Amino acid sequence: FSGSDVGVCVKDVLFEPIRKTQEATHFKFTNGEDGIEMLEPCSPGDPAGFESTLDELDTKGLAKKVMPPKISKKDFERVLIRARATVGVNDLKVYEDFTSEFGEEG
């Protein structure tokens, strides 16, 4: 992976909580960091959860209370499964040959 590829992955990870929120079918009430009651996506099996979509919450005037979940290790794992390197082995060989011939590293 190139530095640019890593940057793309990080940006993709930052959007994972938004994707989870947009795709959620269940939400639950929770306290935000400032103690204000918020809604966060949860699994359908969560006993505190109730069935709803983000659009339905918006219709009820509750969309402003929705808080995307925090980024987790699973978000990174999910993104890395989809990630593809843009620099191939042949591209790297060109740079290695250049370095060998001209002695420039780093």
Side-chain angles (χ1 to χ4, degrees):
F1 286 96
S2 69
S4 177
D5 294 337
V6 172
V8 169
C9 285
V10 169
K11 287 179 184 177
D12 204 17
V13 167
L14 292 173
F15 280 102
E16 278 298 301
I18 294 167
R19 285 187 198 99
K20 287 180 194 174
T21 303
Q22 290 173 333
E23 296 170 2
T25 59
H26 289 72
F27 289 83
K28 67 180 178 181
F29 284 98
T30 186
N31 287 326
E33 291 181 15
D34 53 4
I36 295 174
E37 188 176 62
M38 302 294 287
L39 286 162
E40 69 179 6
C42 65
S43 71
D46 191 320
F50 61 92
E51 189 172 350
S52 187
T53 64
L54 189 57
D55 287 337
E56 291 169 349
L57 292 174
D58 186 38
T59 302
K60 297 175 184 174
L62 295 173
K64 290 181 183 178
K65 288 188 167 278
V66 174
M67 176 178 61
K70 292 183 179 181
I71 294 171
S72 69
K73 181 181 175 187
K74 283 188 176 186
D75 294 328
F76 281 92
E77 292 168 349
R78 191 175 297 118
V79 166
L80 289 174
I81 287 170
R82 295 188 308 248
R84 298 289 175 255
T86 58
V87 179
V89 175
N90 293 336
D91 297 323
L92 292 175
K93 178 80 171 112
V94 171
Y95 290 111
E96 289 171 0
D97 291 346
F98 179 88
T99 301
S100 294
E101 185 176 339
F102 296 104
E104 296 290 322
E105 287 194 41

